[in-house]
Amino acid sequence: MKTALVLEGGAMRGLYTAGVLDVLLDNLIEVDAVYATSAGVLFGVNYISKQRGRTIRYNKKYAADPRYMGIKSLLTTGNIINKDFAYYEIPFKLDVFDQKSFSESKTKLFATITNVVSGAVEYRRVNNVLQQMELLRATSAMPFVSEMVALDGQFYFDGGLSDSIPLKQCIADGYQQIVVVLTRCAGYRKQKRNPLPAKIFYKKYPELIKTINMRYAMYNRQMDFVEQLEQEGKIVVVRPSEYVKIARIEKNATRLQAMYDLGIKDAQHQLLTIKKHFE
């Protein structure tokens, strides 16, 4: 039986996922594949490279650094997450990503991205994190506060717009034993938002506008599907057991630590269930 993790995004809520993944590392739990979106990709790579604690370490160290993310970066570069510092300075120099360990892992990583022209999701295999850093940027490029990311002559945005929880793709690819890690509490559903901003910002991309404005419905259908399979005992779901107030672009180290610690606690609580599911 093929095993997999499915990781939701959620910007800095992804520190919850980092905590869950570090518990899996502590218990030597490996899977055949990881299907992830946005922050799930950015933080999930450290699970595959077996760099326990790296995600919480560099985020706590640099979250309040204006070079990392924030309004200054948005106004000067067009990206609220600074491209040069966050995606190149940190993993290449300041807190080096272990590409060798990543390459030696048996675990495959698939990232979701949203095609700007078609508005549709695409799934890309991540083979070399350092060489495919633009793919990691694309999967996490939030609309309105990020520039589109060019890949192979086309432009992309955050994969969460078109496939927030890539469980169906994981199943379609033949994985049967699946643990889904969410970053929202049980019962969460998205609300419909004002469609006007997308129409103004992206008037040249009608399919992207549809995808952005219908994201709430897509997400809610996915949550219905996750909960159905969970109730049927076909998947295991790890989700926040309590609400932690945290911004998408959170700079407070205490809140980042709290989100991470909750992931640790919840994963430890469900550890026996996870192990049994992967047997």
Side-chain angles (χ1 to χ4, degrees):
M1 299 281 278
K2 295 165 66 177
T3 60
L5 295 173
V6 174
L7 309 179
E8 183 181 9
M12 287 305 178
R13 291 198 315 275
L15 268 298
Y16 177 84
T17 302
V20 174
L21 296 178
D22 280 353
V23 170
L24 299 187
L25 284 176
D26 289 342
N27 289 273
L28 306 179
I29 297 175
E30 295 185 69
V31 295
D32 296 311
V34 174
Y35 285 72
T37 293
S38 194
V41 179
L42 300 185
F43 300 160
V45 296
N46 298 311
Y47 162 73
I48 298 174
S49 66
K50 298 180 174 61
Q51 289 177 276
R52 190 199 188 285
R54 180 175 180 268
T55 300
I56 185 64
R57 180 176 65 239
Y58 77 74
N59 275 289
K60 284 183 66 178
K61 185 172 183 178
Y62 297 112
D65 190 323
R67 296 175 298 172
Y68 185 38
M69 61 183 181
I71 297 300
K72 180 179 179 181
S73 177
L74 178 61
L75 294 177
T76 57
T77 71
N79 295 295
I80 200 163
I81 306 295
N82 188 275
K83 170 186 174 180
D84 294 334
F85 189 78
Y87 293 94
Y88 290 94
E89 190 78 9
I90 291 176
F92 282 84
K93 298 178 181 179
L94 301 178
D95 197 324
V96 177
F97 179 75
D98 188 349
Q99 177 56 45
K100 182 175 184 295
S101 179
F102 182 90
S103 298
E104 291 172 349
S105 173
K106 70 168 187 175
T107 304
K108 300 175 182 178
L109 174 60
F110 298 93
T112 65
I113 51 178
T114 301
N115 187 298
V116 168
V117 174
S118 69
V121 64
E122 295 181 17
Y123 306 93
R124 298 284 185 96
R125 171 85 182 271
V126 181
N127 295 299
N128 188 307
V129 171
L130 298 180
Q131 290 181 6
Q132 294 177 277
M133 199 57 71
E134 292 302 285
L135 173 56
L136 270 67
R137 283 214 311 128
T139 191
S140 56
M142 297 178 285
F144 308 115
V145 292
S146 306
E147 295 179 327
M148 301 172 185
V149 178
L151 294 174
D152 305 322
Q154 298 189 63
F155 290 96
Y156 295 89
F157 265 140
D158 192 324
L161 298 175
S162 51
D163 194 349
S164 298
I165 307 165
L167 176 57
K168 286 190 175 182
Q169 185 63 37
C170 181
I171 294 171
D173 287 346
Y175 295 90
Q176 303 99 340
Q177 294 168 291
I178 302 168
V179 171
V180 178
V181 183
L182 304 177
T183 58
R184 296 282 195 180
C185 295
Y188 174 80
R189 295 294 188 274
K190 290 189 180 296
Q191 300 297 313
K192 184 177 182 179
R193 295 190 175 185
N194 186 348
L196 191 58
K199 293 178 180 179
I200 294 173
F201 271 74
Y202 304 115
K203 58 185 178 181
K204 294 182 180 179
Y205 304 97
E207 296 305 317
L208 177 65
I209 292 171
K210 293 178 186 177
T211 296
I212 291 174
N213 287 338
M214 291 305 295
R215 186 195 177 195
Y216 79 98
M218 174 274 296
Y219 182 88
N220 293 344
R221 287 194 300 270
Q222 289 188 327
M223 285 306 306
D224 290 343
F225 183 62
V226 168
E227 291 175 1
Q228 175 189 334
L229 294 193
E230 181 184 23
Q231 291 169 4
E232 293 172 355
K234 295 179 180 178
I235 63 172
V236 170
V237 179
V238 183
R239 58 168 67 83
S241 59
E242 59 190 79
Y243 174 73
V244 174
K245 184 178 180 180
I246 187 169
R248 290 182 66 83
I249 307 299
E250 183 61 66
K251 293 177 175 289
N252 185 293
T254 300
R255 289 178 180 171
L256 296 176
Q257 186 70 53
M259 199 72 190
Y260 173 80
D261 290 344
L262 183 60
I264 293 280
K265 184 184 80 169
D266 289 348
Q268 289 175 338
H269 179 73
Q270 289 187 249
L271 186 58
L272 292 180
T273 301
I274 294 170
K275 285 182 174 180
K276 186 175 180 179
H277 190 67
F278 282 149
E279 286 179 353

